[in-house]
Amino acid sequence: MNTSNNVNGTATSDVLTSPFIKALVQQIRGLDTYGTYRKWSDDLILKPYIVSKQKKREISVEGDVNPMTISRINAFYRAIAIRIEQETGLLSQVVADLNHEGFGWMLVFSGHLLLVKKTLRDVHRFGFNSWEKLAEEGETLVQKGVELARRFPEVGKL
Amino acid sequence: MNTSNNVNGTATSDVLTSPFIKALVQQIRGLDTYGTYRKWSDDLILKPYIVSKQKKREISVEGDVNPMTISRINAFYRAIAIRIEQETGLLSQVVADLNHEGFGWMLVFSGHLLLVKKTLRDVHRFGFNSWEKLAEEGETLVQKGVELARRFPEVGKL
């Protein structure tokens, strides 16, 4: 598989039909109050999540984080929360604590159980090197969360 | 006990020597980089935490939350985290997700265990009706956190 092709290329149908990517698209379409994305394909909507290493270097980490980037990060973690809910039935909350320097926490929790806890750095440059990486990182966080939910059901339901 | 006296009066030594209040004072003195509070008494430092019901009504919930209020809220929850650490040995993190409308979450967690989770409303008006209420609410949150930490040690150490 040619990674550099993936960075600029289109997403494979394998990726686009994966449960995490479908949940992510659903998140973004759900927030699309004005119907901006109504006629956009899924890969066009998700394209801003794909940021090559070179592109990342070009994004300055000075100043406030772009609100669109923040909203992409939120959608990514809400999609994880939705996927964990689908697998375990646990309703969860997403909490973001990102400071102006682009550093902070993203948390997903249910009851008193933290299903996902992630520190982020250089939030300005949030993105994935390829479609596969995007799907993979989402799915990995989902699986870890599901595992915790199954291991400590009592805490998740508190 | 006369509550209205407490609102405007001074703190009793019982309150000021309680472990939670001592931790709170320590938090604020620890952040006092320029030594502003060096010669202030503990009750003078904590005075802004005491907000009468009438005073609360006078504080507008329009516009951004005063940064001093945010910093008081953070110190309050960090003091809770410190007290839980003293009781259980668990190091914990404080995460704040407060929006511009004065609504949000305050979380204290250790490992994958949420020791404190609290939704806040009208953050602009954060404060307690009396010194006793301040100490009591802090101590209650500490005790709940300690109880959770003891009940689910495995999750707290994950």
Side-chain angles (χ1 to χ4, degrees):
Chain A
M1 196 186 299
N2 188 325
T3 309
S4 63
N5 261 0
N6 278 331
V7 171
N8 302 303
T10 49
T12 62
S13 66
D14 266 12
V15 165
L16 285 176
T17 56
S18 74
F20 173 72
I21 295 292
K22 278 165 76 181
L24 183 54
V25 169
Q26 206 181 10
Q27 272 303 309
I28 297 169
R29 292 203 187 272
L31 293 173
D32 183 27
T33 328
Y34 302 109
T36 320
Y37 302 138
R38 210 180 308 148
K39 293 184 175 177
W40 290 29
S41 64
D42 290 353
D43 59 342
L44 193 58
I45 287 178
L46 295 184
K47 190 102 188 176
Y49 280 95
I50 313 302
V51 185
S52 69
K53 277 186 184 160
Q54 196 197 325
K55 185 72 198 295
K56 281 193 185 181
R57 276 193 297 268
E58 288 164 10
I59 301 173
S60 166
V61 291
E62 305 275 312
D64 281 357
V65 184
N66 186 332
M68 292 298 286
T69 307
I70 299 279
S71 124
R72 267 199 296 282
I73 296 172
N74 277 320
F76 181 82
Y77 284 89
R78 271 198 303 266
I80 292 170
I82 293 290
R83 284 287 299 125
I84 297 176
E85 187 191 338
Q86 289 169 350
E87 298 289 326
T88 65
L90 285 179
L91 273 172
S92 55
Q93 295 280 345
V94 176
V95 158
D97 185 356
L98 303 172
N99 68 20
H100 295 282
E101 281 107 57
F103 180 85
W105 287 96
M106 289 301 301
L107 306 174
V108 181
F109 64 91
S110 185
H112 279 263
L113 186 61
L114 271 176
L115 300 161
V116 177
K117 61 169 192 176
K118 192 106 171 105
T119 45
L120 297 184
R121 285 184 309 128
D122 294 346
V123 161
H124 309 69
R125 294 173 174 163
F126 183 81
F128 302 86
N129 201 29
S130 68
W131 290 93
E132 284 74 14
K133 279 273 175 220
L134 168 64
E136 207 179 282
E137 174 132 354
E139 198 52 41
T140 304
L141 291 171
V142 168
Q143 288 315 320
K144 282 187 188 164
V146 167
E147 201 183 291
L148 282 164
R150 292 197 175 134
R151 198 165 145 207
F152 305 108
E154 202 188 343
V155 187
K157 283 169 193 159
L158 262 187
Chain B
M1 196 185 299
N2 188 325
T3 310
S4 62
N5 261 359
N6 277 331
V7 169
N8 303 306
T10 49
T12 63
S13 66
D14 267 12
V15 165
L16 285 176
T17 56
S18 74
F20 173 72
I21 295 293
K22 278 164 76 180
L24 184 54
V25 169
Q26 206 180 10
Q27 271 303 308
I28 298 170
R29 292 202 188 272
L31 292 174
D32 183 27
T33 328
Y34 302 109
T36 318
Y37 301 138
R38 211 180 309 148
K39 294 185 175 175
W40 291 28
S41 64
D42 290 353
D43 58 342
L44 193 57
I45 287 178
L46 295 184
K47 190 102 186 174
Y49 281 95
I50 313 302
V51 185
S52 68
K53 277 186 185 160
Q54 195 197 325
K55 185 73 198 296
K56 281 194 186 181
R57 276 192 296 268
E58 288 164 10
I59 302 171
S60 165
V61 291
E62 304 277 311
D64 279 359
V65 183
N66 185 333
M68 292 299 285
T69 308
I70 299 279
S71 124
R72 268 199 297 281
I73 296 172
N74 277 320
F76 180 82
Y77 284 89
R78 272 197 303 265
I80 292 170
I82 292 291
R83 284 287 299 126
I84 297 175
E85 186 189 339
Q86 289 169 351
E87 298 289 325
T88 65
L90 285 180
L91 273 172
S92 55
Q93 294 280 345
V94 176
V95 158
D97 185 356
L98 304 171
N99 67 20
H100 295 283
E101 281 106 57
F103 180 85
W105 287 95
M106 290 300 301
L107 305 175
V108 181
F109 64 91
S110 185
H112 279 264
L113 186 61
L114 270 176
L115 300 161
V116 177
K117 62 169 192 175
K118 191 105 170 109
T119 45
L120 296 183
R121 285 185 307 128
D122 294 346
V123 161
H124 309 69
R125 295 174 174 162
F126 182 82
F128 302 87
N129 201 30
S130 68
W131 291 93
E132 284 73 15
K133 279 273 175 220
L134 168 63
E136 208 179 284
E137 174 132 356
E139 200 50 42
T140 304
L141 292 172
V142 169
Q143 288 316 319
K144 280 187 188 166
V146 168
E147 200 182 292
L148 282 165
R150 291 195 176 137
R151 199 166 145 205
F152 304 108
E154 201 188 344
V155 188
K157 283 168 192 158
L158 261 187

